[in-house]
Amino acid sequence: MSDVVGNPPGDAPGSSLGHVTATRRLLRRLRGIMAGSGSAQERLDRIVRVIAAEMVAEVCSAYVMRAGEVLELFATEGLRPEAVHRTRLRVGEGLVGLIAANARPLALADAQSHPDFAYRPETGEEVYHSLMGVPILRGGRVLGVLVVQNRTPRHYAEDEIEVLQTIAMIVAELVASGELVNPLEMAQSRGGVSLPMRLDGVRLNPGLAVGPAVLYEPKVVIRQVVAEDVAGEQKRLRQAVAAMQQAIDALVDTSHGLGPGEHRDIIETYRMFAADRGWLGRINEAVRSGLTAEAAVQKVRDETRSRMMQVTEPYLRERLFDLEDLANRLQQFLAGQSPGIAAAELPAEFILVAHSMGPAELLDYAHRRIRGLVLEEGSPTAHVAIVARAFDIPVVGRVAEATRRIDGGDIVIVDGDHAQVLIRPSADIQQGVAATVAARTRRRAYYETLRDLPAVTRDGVEVKLLLNAGLLLDLAQLSATGAEGVGLFRTEIPLLTRHAFPDVADQTEFYRRAYEQVEERPIVFRTLDIGGDKVLPYLAHTAEDNPAMGWRAIRIGLDRPAMLRQQLRALLRGAAGRDLFVKFPMIAEIAELEAARALLGKEATRITVEGREPPRSIKIGVMLEVPSLLWQLPALLKRIDFLSIGTNDLAQFLYACDRGNPRLADRYDLLSAPMLALFRDVIAKCHAADTPLSMCGEMAGNPIEAMVLIALGFRTLSVTANAVGPVKAMIRSLDAGALAGYLDEIGERPDHSLRRWLEAYARDHAVAL
Ligand code: PEP
Ligand code: MG
C-alpha cells in the first residue's frame, strides 16, 4: 500500500469506531471551509490549519503543481510563512517530489535519513523528523502533494494515511476549480509539446490506423465529497451497484460481432470483481466514514491505483485495471451518466487514448467509429486486448505518458505491427499511412472474395488451410476466413486471463462450447503448454534460468498427472459424439507419449464406466518441437495418428536461438538448406508410415514460407486468422510442381538464406506473395 515505516501493532486500518467518528468530524469541518466564503487561497490556508490541529501534527503543507512539473508550496501551517510561493520542487525532487512522481503516499518516522530528502533552508523544516505525505490526485493526475510533519519521530498508522488521502480529495477539488492556478497553466503542465513525436510501446493487437485523438478520461466531477446522510448514501451506492451489474449483463447481450463465447468469460470475471466483497466493503466503509458514494468510490479507486503502481506481476496488474474500470463505471452510474463519451461528441473516426481501459469500456466504443487504441498500460493478455482483437482494432499498449503527450484532436497513427504511436505526423507521413491503410483494406476485401474458394494450386494440389486459435473468440474467424477447421487450439491461452484454475466442469463446458462453435469442422486440441513464457499466476512455479527448455508443457502434465487427467477428462466429455483430436506438446521421447496416452486411456475407460457418451473417435497426435524426436520418427509415427510440426520451438532448439530474443529475431532464416533438408526427411518418413503431417508453427502463415512448404510436400497448414487470406491467394497462384523442381536445384545451397532466390522465383512466376 504505502511505505509505512514501523506501524505500532494493533492499529488496524479503518477499524476503530473512534477513528470513524474523528474522521467524520474532520471532514465536516473541511466541508464547512469548502462551502464557506473567502478566496481559494484563504480556504486552503484554513484547511492546512485544521488538518494540523486535527491530526496532531506540527506542520501541514499543501504543494500545488505548476507549469513545467514544479510543485510550489501554496499553504502551510508550521513551516515559515515566507516560504509560501517561494519553495518549489521539481517532480521527483525531494520527498514531496518523490510522492508526486510515484503518485503514492509516503510515511517516514525519520524523513531526514531518507536518501531523497532535500533540505530547503527557507522553510525551517530541519527540526521536523517525521513526515507523512499523499498525492493530491484527480482523474489520475497528480495536482499536488499534501504533507504533515512532526518534530518527534512518529510512526504514522495506515488509517492516518487513509484520512490524509481522503482530505487530499477535497483539496483536489479546490485545485481543480482553477482558482489557485489558472486552468491554462494547469493545461500547460501536461507537457504542451506540439512537435511530431514517436512513442514506443508494446504490440497488443496488430494493424495500422490513423485519425484524430479522443482522450478517454472517464470524467465524473465530484461536486460533493462529504455526505450529510450516511444511510442515504449507502442506499444510493447499493442502487448504483445493482444498476451497474444489470448494465454489464446488457452489454453482454447486446454486443454483436463477438459471437457466443469468450466475452462471457471476460465479462463474468469482470462481474465477479463487481461483486467482490472486499472492494464493495472498502467503498462502504468510506461511505460510513462520511464520504458521499461518489467520493468513496474515488477514494478506493485512488488507493487501487497506487497499489497498481507497485504490482509488477502483469496478470495481477491487469486484474486491478478491471477494478479501476469498474470504479469508473460505478461513478458514472452514481452521477446518472451513461458510460463512455456521448456519440455526438465523437469525430467520424478516431483513435482513443487512455491510461487504461477495461473490456466493457472498449465494448462501449467498439460498435462506433474507433479506429485504434493507445494505452499507457496493458499487456497482450489483458481483457481489453482480447476484445480489441475480436473487433480488429489495432492497439499499442504501455505507451508511457500517452495521455499527457497527446492532446484531443491531435492526429495520431497507431502502428500495432511495430508497437509505435506517431503523434502529429507530417502531412506526407499521414498520406503515406492513409495510402497503406487503404491498400490493406482493398487487399482484405480481395481476400474476402477468396473465402469460399478452395485452396488449390494451379497444378491441382489441394491444401487444407486450418486456423490456429486460443480463445473461443478466435473461432468466429472460421467462417470469417473460410478456414476448414482448427489445426491448433492452444488450450493454455484462456487460462492466462483467469484468476484460478478451472475445474473439470468448467473445462468441459469450455470445450463443449468450442465444439459448438466450430460446428462440424475438425478441431485439434493441444494439451496445456504452460511454463516457458506462459506462467499461470495461480500455479506454483519456480523461476528457471531457461524456462523454454525447462519445466513446461507435457513435462508438467506428466509430473502433475491429476492436472493433465482433468484436462483429458474434460476434453473427452466435451467431445461427446464428436471426433476428438488431441496432441501433446514438447514430447522429447516416445516414453513420454506413451505415459500421456496411458492417462488418456484411463480417462476414456472412466467415461465408459460412468456411462457418458464417448467421443465418436479419438485421434492422438504429437507436436514435433524437440529435435530428439527426429531420430525416433519411424517408431514414433507407428504409434500416433498425426504429427504436427511446431517450428516456433523446433527452430529455436535446432539453431540454439531463443525465439523471444529480439536481437536474434533475424539471425537465422528457416528458408535455408538445413530446415529444408529436415522437412524433406520428415515428409518422407510420414509418407512411408502413412501418418498425416501438418505444420502449425508461425512459419506456415507467411506466404513465401508456405509456398516452399507446399512445394516440399506439406498438405495441411494451420495458420493465424489474418494469414488465411494471403496464404490462400499465394496457393491459388502457385505451380507447386514447378517450384519443387526449382527447390531441387537451389535447396542445398550453403547460403545463409535462400529467400532472395525464392522471392525472385515468385516474381518471375507471378506467385502472389
Ligand atoms: C510451436 O512451437 O511452433 C507452436 C505452434 O507452439 P507454441 O507457439 O504455442 O509454442
Ligand atoms: Mg511450441
Side-chain angles (χ1 to χ4, degrees):
M1 277 232 149
S2 50
D3 296 340
V4 184
V5 178
N7 267 343
D11 225 341
S15 58
S16 73
L17 262 182
H19 155 67
V20 170
T21 318
T23 309
R24 253 193 230 170
R25 190 185 58 223
L26 172 56
L27 292 179
R28 220 174 303 130
R29 289 189 67 184
L30 294 177
R31 184 169 51 114
I33 296 171
M34 288 291 281
S37 57
S39 67
Q41 177 70 55
E42 284 161 354
R43 279 181 283 165
L44 189 61
D45 291 339
R46 263 179 264 150
I47 287 174
V48 292
R49 243 176 283 140
V50 169
I51 300 170
E54 292 278 348
M55 298 196 75
V56 202
E58 278 106 22
V59 173
C60 176
S61 311
Y63 294 81
V64 177
M65 189 77 84
R66 304 217 62 152
E69 312 275 275
V70 168
L71 292 150
E72 180 176 307
L73 179 65
F74 255 70
T76 185
E77 170 70 12
L79 296 184
R80 292 201 190 118
E82 57 269 30
V84 172
H85 299 303
R86 265 188 67 204
T87 295
R88 290 172 157 224
L89 294 150
R90 281 188 310 281
V91 169
E93 183 187 2
L95 297 176
V96 169
L98 185 67
I99 293 164
N102 295 340
R104 272 173 50 200
L106 187 67
L108 300 165
D110 180 10
Q112 294 183 15
S113 65
H114 191 284
D116 282 315
F117 180 78
Y119 173 56
R120 287 299 161 95
E122 73 275 12
T123 61
E125 66 181 330
E126 63 274 19
V127 295
Y128 303 106
H129 282 95
S130 41
L131 173 145
M132 163 169 72
V134 299
I136 300 170
L137 291 165
R138 194 165 185 275
R141 293 227 158 78
V142 177
L143 301 185
V145 172
L146 195 58
V147 174
V148 294
Q149 288 171 275
N150 281 79
R151 212 175 267 272
T152 51
R154 174 171 164 186
H155 297 279
Y156 299 101
E158 192 77 38
D159 56 6
E160 290 180 293
I161 297 173
E162 288 197 1
V163 170
L164 199 60
Q165 280 178 305
T166 307
I167 297 167
M169 286 172 57
I170 297 175
V171 179
E173 296 309 305
L174 197 62
V175 179
S177 72
E179 287 178 64
L180 293 169
V181 174
N182 88 45
L184 260 178
E185 188 181 334
M186 283 204 285
Q188 275 170 23
S189 71
R190 285 162 50 99
V193 211
S194 56
L195 294 168
M197 204 189 277
R198 195 192 89 184
L199 303 177
D200 293 317
V202 169
R203 165 177 147 162
L204 300 194
N205 198 35
L208 191 64
V210 57
V214 168
L215 281 182
Y216 178 71
E217 297 171 279
K219 267 196 213 105
V220 173
V221 182
I222 300 174
R223 300 195 192 284
Q224 209 181 332
V225 175
V226 185
E228 301 270 331
D229 169 13
V230 172
E233 288 304 299
Q234 285 177 319
K235 187 170 166 205
R236 283 184 63 228
L237 180 64
R238 271 198 307 277
Q239 286 169 342
V241 169
M244 178 182 76
Q245 286 170 339
Q246 257 178 20
I248 292 172
D249 289 343
L251 204 56
V252 177
D253 296 338
T254 56
S255 65
H256 12 266
L258 285 177
E262 207 62 41
H263 62 292
R264 278 206 181 275
D265 285 348
I266 293 169
I267 303 286
E268 275 310 319
T269 316
Y270 191 74
R271 270 183 49 190
M272 204 193 61
F273 278 121
D276 180 81
R277 282 216 253 135
W279 183 65
L280 292 173
R282 282 192 292 143
I283 298 173
N284 243 313
E285 173 68 18
V287 170
R288 232 163 51 85
S289 74
L291 292 182
T292 57
E294 287 91 340
V297 177
Q298 182 66 36
K299 177 170 184 280
V300 173
R301 181 183 159 180
D302 286 343
E303 285 168 4
T304 309
R305 263 210 186 142
S306 63
R307 257 196 296 164
M308 227 171 346
M309 296 192 169
Q310 283 167 281
V311 175
T312 51
E313 206 292 302
Y315 175 84
L316 288 178
R317 234 174 126 97
E318 289 311 330
R319 303 297 74 80
L320 287 170
F321 285 127
D322 284 358
L323 272 181
E324 166 133 323
D325 181 8
L326 277 169
N328 292 340
R329 243 154 218 269
L330 192 48
Q331 280 183 328
Q332 283 160 338
F333 277 102
L334 282 164
Q337 301 172 356
S338 50
I341 303 169
E345 294 168 27
L346 292 170
E349 294 187 343
F350 59 93
I351 305 290
L352 203 56
V353 182
H355 172 71
S356 64
M357 184 166 252
E361 282 173 307
L362 183 58
L363 283 174
D364 286 334
Y365 290 97
H367 303 298
R368 309 221 213 125
R369 296 155 305 234
I370 176 170
R371 286 290 168 267
L373 179 63
V374 179
L375 296 174
E376 290 179 346
E377 284 286 351
S379 77
T381 56
H383 288 158
V384 67
I386 292 166
V387 172
R389 235 164 274 154
F391 283 97
D392 203 14
I393 300 166
V395 189
V396 180
R398 305 230 199 108
V399 180
E401 309 213 305
T403 58
R404 287 168 64 91
R405 295 176 195 225
I406 302 174
D407 285 325
D410 277 350
I411 295 297
V412 171
I413 293 169
V414 181
D415 184 350
D417 302 340
H418 300 99
Q420 280 177 0
V421 177
L422 303 177
I423 309 167
R424 300 174 286 269
S426 60
D428 45 333
I429 291 185
Q430 272 184 55
Q431 276 166 12
V433 170
T436 310
V437 171
R440 284 189 187 189
T441 310
R442 275 197 307 275
R443 229 176 301 144
R444 211 177 286 175
Y446 168 64
Y447 296 144
E448 255 168 48
T449 65
L450 302 182
R451 192 183 54 198
D452 301 320
L453 299 178
V456 183
T457 63
R458 278 179 29 223
D459 54 337
V461 173
E462 288 179 24
V463 180
K464 200 181 271 180
L465 275 185
L466 303 173
L467 206 65
N468 286 352
L471 293 168
L472 293 180
L473 265 178
D474 297 336
L475 301 180
Q477 297 297 327
L478 278 171
S479 10
T481 59
E484 291 182 48
V486 177
L488 167 66
F489 193 95
R490 293 180 165 103
T491 58
E492 66 282 357
I493 301 290
L495 302 193
L496 296 174
T497 60
R498 292 186 65 120
H499 61 285
F501 205 87
D503 61 16
V504 176
D506 266 7
Q507 291 186 58
T508 305
E509 176 56 18
F510 182 88
Y511 299 134
R512 201 192 53 71
R513 274 160 47 192
Y515 272 109
E516 211 171 85
Q517 281 208 54
V518 300
E519 295 170 349
E520 282 311 307
R521 301 177 188 96
I523 175 166
V524 181
F525 292 98
R526 179 179 71 183
T527 61
L528 295 175
D529 182 2
I530 45 180
D533 60 339
K534 291 175 271 195
V535 174
L536 304 184
Y538 42 86
L539 219 68
H541 197 275
T542 41
E544 296 175 306
D545 285 344
N546 290 305
M549 294 196 286
W551 197 54
R552 63 174 278 206
I554 198 67
R555 300 168 186 178
I556 297 184
L558 294 178
D559 291 354
R560 297 276 180 276
M563 196 168 85
L564 180 54
R565 282 187 70 164
Q566 282 180 13
Q567 183 181 27
L568 295 171
R569 196 177 310 154
L571 282 169
L572 287 159
R573 288 182 189 177
R578 302 286 302 265
D579 297 318
L580 173 61
F581 292 90
V582 55
K583 62 180 169 188
F584 298 108
M586 290 290 290
I587 295 280
E589 54 177 18
I590 290 173
E592 284 174 339
L593 162 71
E594 291 307 338
R597 186 208 302 280
L599 297 181
L600 181 61
K602 281 185 186 159
E603 289 302 329
T605 311
R606 182 182 175 132
I607 289 271
T608 321
V609 173
E610 286 175 351
R612 294 174 193 269
E613 186 186 7
R616 182 166 50 201
S617 71
I618 301 175
K619 298 271 190 294
I620 298 179
V622 155
M623 294 279 291
L624 172 51
E625 293 168 296
V626 184
S628 60
L629 278 193
L630 292 168
W631 289 271
Q632 305 171 69
L633 280 177
L636 176 80
L637 294 173
K638 270 193 238 144
R639 293 172 154 85
I640 56 178
D641 300 305
F642 62 98
L643 183 73
S644 192
I645 304 190
T647 41
N648 308 341
D649 274 311
L650 183 61
Q652 76 165 341
F653 299 131
L654 270 173
Y655 283 95
C657 184
D658 183 348
R659 72 192 251 189
N661 185 337
R663 263 185 99 148
L664 299 174
D666 298 322
R667 181 88 201 182
Y668 303 106
D669 195 336
L670 301 193
L671 289 183
S672 55
M675 257 352 235
L676 264 46
L678 184 155
F679 292 145
R680 280 188 202 280
D681 186 44
V682 176
I683 291 167
K685 290 192 168 121
C686 284
H687 209 257
D690 202 17
T691 306
L693 171 68
S694 62
M695 170 163 313
C696 61
E698 299 300 314
M699 182 183 187
N702 298 330
I704 187 168
E705 269 95 339
M707 171 182 93
V708 173
L709 295 172
I710 291 164
L712 287 174
F714 279 92
R715 295 293 173 261
T716 304
L717 302 179
S718 192
V719 302
T720 51
N722 53 19
V724 176
V727 171
K728 193 188 271 188
M730 179 281 296
I731 291 172
R732 292 177 58 84
S733 61
L734 173 71
D735 183 331
L739 178 60
Y742 184 60
L743 282 180
D744 288 341
E745 276 174 44
I746 65 157
E748 288 176 22
R749 291 185 71 99
D751 304 34
H752 159 71
S753 165
L754 301 176
R755 191 168 296 267
R756 65 192 174 96
W757 302 93
L758 293 159
E759 279 168 352
Y761 179 92
R763 239 188 345 264
D764 295 348
H765 295 81
V767 183
L769 292 187

